[in-house]
Amino acid sequence: IDIDVLESLILHHPSGLDILAAPPSPQTAELVTAAAVSAVLPLARSQYKWVVVDTSATFSELNLGVIDRSDLLLLVAAPDLTSLKVTRSMLDVFSALLTPAEKRVLILNQTPAKAHLKQDDFEQALGERIGLMLPYADDAVLDSIDHGVPLATADPSHPFITALESFAMHLADVKTKAQVQAKRGGLGQWVQGVIGSLRR
């Protein structure tokens, strides 16, 4: 796998994003090995300022390789007991893997119209702070998926999108400052800065 192979697989979205899409079928997905992903990530890093990987919700060999090479992990949960239990188990696995707490941000996605658990309850049960609270989006997100038009494009002023945009801009600003001051803390410093500022 080299840069020419990677570029031949990249899709260019009208929004300006370049996308390495999921395989079109389960049969071809079997060909995406942990070794292949490990080879692709450094190539992607060499070509792009930001690389975002949307993994499946498992601790497979492939995903563990991605987690190990990630600067920051965004862990998404819903405000209900089932999601709380899964998140607690997930955090236990990260502890067993010796993944530092400052490397992750918990995101609470308000998927139901009325939350079964409040943010404070969630934080108290997990012993960790929520870094981002995504507001209830009604059917807007599902509609955008059904129509193949990102909500950020169709309705950029939607509260769900403005929350995401604010978080992304804050993250980008912190990392940019860390790059300028690389000799005074580098990656660890900017990750800790992100977590600290989100929790204030």
Side-chain angles (χ1 to χ4, degrees):
I1 299 177
D2 57 22
I3 192 61
D4 292 332
V5 171
L6 178 62
E7 288 181 348
S8 71
L9 299 172
I10 293 291
L11 304 175
H12 304 286
H13 191 269
S15 66
L17 293 176
D18 283 355
I19 301 166
L20 183 59
S25 69
Q27 292 88 342
T28 51
E30 292 295 323
L31 302 174
V32 182
T33 63
V37 173
S38 294
V40 164
L41 286 178
L43 291 174
R45 283 176 179 268
S46 71
Q47 298 298 307
Y48 298 95
K49 184 175 181 179
W50 303 100
V51 178
V52 179
V53 183
D54 181 17
T55 70
S56 58
T58 66
F59 285 100
S60 64
E61 181 185 0
L62 190 153
N63 285 346
L64 287 173
V66 173
I67 290 169
D68 187 54
R69 291 168 177 79
S70 297
D71 296 330
L72 190 64
L73 305 171
L74 307 180
L75 313 178
V76 185
D80 58 65
L81 287 173
T82 300
S83 188
L84 174 62
K85 181 180 179 182
V86 171
T87 304
R88 176 71 272 169
S89 298
M90 181 172 56
L91 293 177
D92 289 341
V93 173
F94 280 125
S95 295
L97 294 172
L98 302 180
T99 304
E102 59 267 20
K103 189 178 175 178
R104 61 185 184 241
V105 175
L106 287 179
I107 298 175
L108 200 57
N109 188 9
Q110 180 72 34
T111 48
K114 183 178 180 180
H116 293 235
L117 292 174
K118 295 180 180 179
Q119 180 175 340
D120 290 345
D121 298 329
F122 214 87
E123 291 177 335
Q124 186 175 358
L126 294 176
E128 294 204 16
R129 298 291 298 275
I130 301 297
L132 172 63
M133 183 75 177
L134 292 173
Y136 177 60
D138 199 7
D139 291 331
V141 173
L142 292 177
D143 288 344
S144 73
I145 294 171
D146 288 345
H147 291 92
V149 179
L151 184 58
T153 301
D155 188 2
S157 63
H158 192 285
F160 187 89
I161 296 303
T162 56
L164 278 175
E165 186 177 52
S166 176
F167 174 76
M169 290 178 68
H170 179 78
L171 196 62
D173 183 52
V174 172
K175 183 165 186 181
T176 300
K177 289 178 181 177
Q179 288 173 339
V180 173
Q181 303 171 357
K183 294 182 180 179
R184 292 185 286 165
L187 175 62
Q189 185 181 46
W190 82 258
V191 170
Q192 292 176 23
V194 170
I195 306 300
S197 58
L198 288 173
R199 292 176 177 176
R200 284 196 287 270

Short mmCIF file of all heavy atoms in Angstrom, two decimals, residues 105-134:
data_model
loop_
_atom_site.label_atom_id
_atom_site.label_comp_id
_atom_site.label_asym_id
_atom_site.label_seq_id
_atom_site.Cartn_x
_atom_site.Cartn_y
_atom_site.Cartn_z
N VAL A 105 -12.36 11.74 25.20
CA VAL A 105 -13.43 12.68 25.53
C VAL A 105 -14.76 11.94 25.45
O VAL A 105 -15.05 11.29 24.44
CB VAL A 105 -13.45 13.88 24.54
CG1 VAL A 105 -14.64 14.78 24.83
CG2 VAL A 105 -12.16 14.68 24.63
N LEU A 106 -15.55 12.03 26.50
CA LEU A 106 -16.88 11.42 26.50
C LEU A 106 -17.88 12.39 25.86
O LEU A 106 -17.91 13.58 26.21
CB LEU A 106 -17.33 11.10 27.92
CG LEU A 106 -16.65 9.91 28.61
CD1 LEU A 106 -17.20 9.74 30.02
CD2 LEU A 106 -16.86 8.63 27.81
N ILE A 107 -18.68 11.87 24.94
CA ILE A 107 -19.70 12.67 24.28
C ILE A 107 -21.06 12.07 24.59
O ILE A 107 -21.28 10.87 24.38
CB ILE A 107 -19.47 12.69 22.75
CG1 ILE A 107 -18.12 13.35 22.44
CG2 ILE A 107 -20.61 13.42 22.04
CD1 ILE A 107 -17.75 13.31 20.98
N LEU A 108 -21.97 12.89 25.10
CA LEU A 108 -23.32 12.42 25.41
C LEU A 108 -24.26 12.90 24.31
O LEU A 108 -24.46 14.11 24.13
CB LEU A 108 -23.77 12.95 26.78
CG LEU A 108 -24.91 12.21 27.46
CD1 LEU A 108 -24.58 10.73 27.64
CD2 LEU A 108 -25.24 12.83 28.82
N ASN A 109 -24.79 11.96 23.55
CA ASN A 109 -25.66 12.27 22.42
C ASN A 109 -27.11 12.12 22.85
O ASN A 109 -27.58 11.02 23.14
CB ASN A 109 -25.34 11.32 21.25
CG ASN A 109 -26.06 11.70 19.98
OD1 ASN A 109 -26.67 12.75 19.90
ND2 ASN A 109 -25.97 10.85 18.98
N GLN A 110 -27.83 13.24 22.87
CA GLN A 110 -29.22 13.26 23.33
C GLN A 110 -30.12 12.68 22.25
O GLN A 110 -30.84 13.38 21.56
CB GLN A 110 -29.62 14.71 23.66
CG GLN A 110 -31.04 14.90 24.17
CD GLN A 110 -31.22 14.37 25.58
OE1 GLN A 110 -30.32 14.44 26.40
NE2 GLN A 110 -32.40 13.85 25.86
N THR A 111 -30.04 11.35 22.06
CA THR A 111 -30.82 10.72 21.00
C THR A 111 -32.32 10.69 21.27
O THR A 111 -33.10 10.88 20.34
CB THR A 111 -30.31 9.28 20.74
OG1 THR A 111 -30.18 8.60 22.00
CG2 THR A 111 -28.96 9.31 20.06
N PRO A 112 -32.79 10.46 22.51
CA PRO A 112 -34.24 10.53 22.76
C PRO A 112 -34.67 11.96 23.05
O PRO A 112 -33.84 12.80 23.42
CB PRO A 112 -34.43 9.64 24.00
CG PRO A 112 -33.14 9.77 24.73
CD PRO A 112 -32.07 9.94 23.70
N ALA A 113 -35.97 12.23 22.86
CA ALA A 113 -36.47 13.58 23.13
C ALA A 113 -36.32 13.93 24.61
O ALA A 113 -36.06 15.08 24.98
CB ALA A 113 -37.93 13.68 22.70
N LYS A 114 -36.48 12.92 25.46
CA LYS A 114 -36.34 13.14 26.90
C LYS A 114 -35.30 12.16 27.45
O LYS A 114 -35.43 10.95 27.31
CB LYS A 114 -37.68 12.92 27.61
CG LYS A 114 -37.63 13.20 29.10
CD LYS A 114 -39.00 13.02 29.74
CE LYS A 114 -38.94 13.32 31.25
NZ LYS A 114 -40.27 13.14 31.89
N ALA A 115 -34.25 12.70 28.05
CA ALA A 115 -33.16 11.86 28.55
C ALA A 115 -33.62 11.03 29.74
O ALA A 115 -34.35 11.51 30.61
CB ALA A 115 -31.98 12.74 28.96
N HIS A 116 -33.20 9.77 29.77
CA HIS A 116 -33.50 8.90 30.90
C HIS A 116 -32.54 9.16 32.05
O HIS A 116 -32.85 8.89 33.21
CB HIS A 116 -33.41 7.43 30.47
CG HIS A 116 -34.47 7.03 29.49
ND1 HIS A 116 -35.32 5.98 29.69
CD2 HIS A 116 -34.81 7.55 28.29
CE1 HIS A 116 -36.15 5.86 28.67
NE2 HIS A 116 -35.85 6.80 27.79
N LEU A 117 -31.36 9.67 31.72
CA LEU A 117 -30.35 10.02 32.72
C LEU A 117 -29.87 11.44 32.46
O LEU A 117 -29.66 11.84 31.31
CB LEU A 117 -29.16 9.06 32.65
CG LEU A 117 -29.38 7.61 33.06
CD1 LEU A 117 -28.12 6.80 32.77
CD2 LEU A 117 -29.71 7.52 34.55
N LYS A 118 -29.71 12.19 33.53
CA LYS A 118 -29.16 13.54 33.39
C LYS A 118 -27.64 13.45 33.26
O LYS A 118 -27.01 12.46 33.64
CB LYS A 118 -29.54 14.39 34.59
CG LYS A 118 -31.04 14.65 34.71
CD LYS A 118 -31.34 15.51 35.92
CE LYS A 118 -32.83 15.77 36.04
NZ LYS A 118 -33.15 16.59 37.25
N GLN A 119 -27.05 14.52 32.75
CA GLN A 119 -25.61 14.55 32.58
C GLN A 119 -24.88 14.32 33.90
O GLN A 119 -23.91 13.58 33.96
CB GLN A 119 -25.17 15.90 31.97
CG GLN A 119 -23.67 16.01 31.76
CD GLN A 119 -23.28 17.28 31.05
OE1 GLN A 119 -24.09 17.92 30.37
NE2 GLN A 119 -22.02 17.68 31.17
N ASP A 120 -25.36 14.95 34.96
CA ASP A 120 -24.72 14.78 36.27
C ASP A 120 -24.76 13.32 36.73
O ASP A 120 -23.79 12.82 37.30
CB ASP A 120 -25.41 15.67 37.31
CG ASP A 120 -25.13 17.14 37.08
OD1 ASP A 120 -24.20 17.46 36.32
OD2 ASP A 120 -25.84 17.99 37.67
N ASP A 121 -25.90 12.65 36.48
CA ASP A 121 -26.02 11.24 36.87
C ASP A 121 -25.02 10.39 36.10
O ASP A 121 -24.38 9.49 36.65
CB ASP A 121 -27.44 10.73 36.58
CG ASP A 121 -28.50 11.48 37.39
OD1 ASP A 121 -28.17 11.91 38.51
OD2 ASP A 121 -29.62 11.63 36.90
N PHE A 122 -24.90 10.67 34.81
CA PHE A 122 -23.98 9.93 33.95
C PHE A 122 -22.54 10.11 34.43
O PHE A 122 -21.78 9.15 34.55
CB PHE A 122 -24.13 10.43 32.51
CG PHE A 122 -23.95 9.37 31.46
CD1 PHE A 122 -25.01 8.57 31.05
CD2 PHE A 122 -22.71 9.17 30.88
CE1 PHE A 122 -24.84 7.60 30.07
CE2 PHE A 122 -22.54 8.20 29.91
CZ PHE A 122 -23.60 7.41 29.51
N GLU A 123 -22.18 11.35 34.71
CA GLU A 123 -20.82 11.64 35.15
C GLU A 123 -20.52 11.01 36.50
O GLU A 123 -19.43 10.47 36.72
CB GLU A 123 -20.62 13.16 35.23
CG GLU A 123 -20.60 13.84 33.86
CD GLU A 123 -20.48 15.35 33.96
OE1 GLU A 123 -20.87 15.91 35.02
OE2 GLU A 123 -20.00 15.97 33.00
N GLN A 124 -21.49 11.07 37.40
CA GLN A 124 -21.29 10.49 38.72
C GLN A 124 -21.12 8.97 38.65
O GLN A 124 -20.26 8.40 39.34
CB GLN A 124 -22.46 10.85 39.64
CG GLN A 124 -22.26 10.41 41.08
CD GLN A 124 -23.38 10.89 41.99
OE1 GLN A 124 -24.29 11.59 41.56
NE2 GLN A 124 -23.33 10.51 43.25
N ALA A 125 -21.91 8.33 37.81
CA ALA A 125 -21.84 6.88 37.70
C ALA A 125 -20.52 6.42 37.07
O ALA A 125 -19.99 5.38 37.43
CB ALA A 125 -23.02 6.36 36.87
N LEU A 126 -19.99 7.23 36.14
CA LEU A 126 -18.76 6.85 35.45
C LEU A 126 -17.50 7.38 36.13
O LEU A 126 -16.41 6.88 35.88
CB LEU A 126 -18.79 7.36 34.00
CG LEU A 126 -19.85 6.75 33.07
CD1 LEU A 126 -19.81 7.44 31.72
CD2 LEU A 126 -19.62 5.26 32.92
N GLY A 127 -17.68 8.41 36.94
CA GLY A 127 -16.51 9.03 37.56
C GLY A 127 -15.69 9.83 36.56
O GLY A 127 -14.51 10.07 36.76
N GLU A 128 -16.31 10.26 35.47
CA GLU A 128 -15.65 11.06 34.45
C GLU A 128 -16.59 12.16 33.98
O GLU A 128 -17.81 12.00 34.01
CB GLU A 128 -15.23 10.20 33.25
CG GLU A 128 -14.15 9.18 33.58
CD GLU A 128 -13.35 8.77 32.35
OE1 GLU A 128 -13.42 9.47 31.32
OE2 GLU A 128 -12.66 7.74 32.44
N ARG A 129 -16.00 13.25 33.50
CA ARG A 129 -16.79 14.38 33.01
C ARG A 129 -17.17 14.19 31.55
O ARG A 129 -16.44 13.57 30.78
CB ARG A 129 -16.00 15.69 33.15
CG ARG A 129 -15.65 16.06 34.58
CD ARG A 129 -16.87 16.45 35.40
NE ARG A 129 -17.53 17.63 34.86
CZ ARG A 129 -17.16 18.88 35.15
NH1 ARG A 129 -16.13 19.09 35.96
NH2 ARG A 129 -17.80 19.91 34.63
N ILE A 130 -18.32 14.73 31.16
CA ILE A 130 -18.76 14.75 29.77
C ILE A 130 -18.09 15.94 29.08
O ILE A 130 -18.22 17.08 29.54
CB ILE A 130 -20.29 14.85 29.67
CG1 ILE A 130 -20.97 13.68 30.38
CG2 ILE A 130 -20.72 14.93 28.21
CD1 ILE A 130 -20.66 12.33 29.80
N GLY A 131 -17.40 15.67 27.99
CA GLY A 131 -16.70 16.75 27.28
C GLY A 131 -17.58 17.48 26.28
O GLY A 131 -17.32 18.64 25.96
N LEU A 132 -18.61 16.81 25.77
CA LEU A 132 -19.50 17.43 24.78
C LEU A 132 -20.89 16.85 24.93
O LEU A 132 -21.06 15.64 25.01
CB LEU A 132 -18.98 17.17 23.36
CG LEU A 132 -19.90 17.59 22.19
CD1 LEU A 132 -20.11 19.11 22.19
CD2 LEU A 132 -19.31 17.14 20.86
N MET A 133 -21.89 17.74 24.98
CA MET A 133 -23.29 17.33 25.05
C MET A 133 -23.96 17.72 23.74
O MET A 133 -24.05 18.90 23.39
CB MET A 133 -23.98 18.04 26.23
CG MET A 133 -25.42 17.64 26.44
SD MET A 133 -25.54 16.00 27.17
CE MET A 133 -27.32 15.87 27.38
N LEU A 134 -24.39 16.72 22.98
CA LEU A 134 -25.06 16.98 21.71
C LEU A 134 -26.57 17.06 21.94
O LEU A 134 -27.15 16.13 22.51
CB LEU A 134 -24.75 15.88 20.70
CG LEU A 134 -23.30 15.83 20.21
CD1 LEU A 134 -23.08 14.60 19.34
CD2 LEU A 134 -22.96 17.09 19.43
#
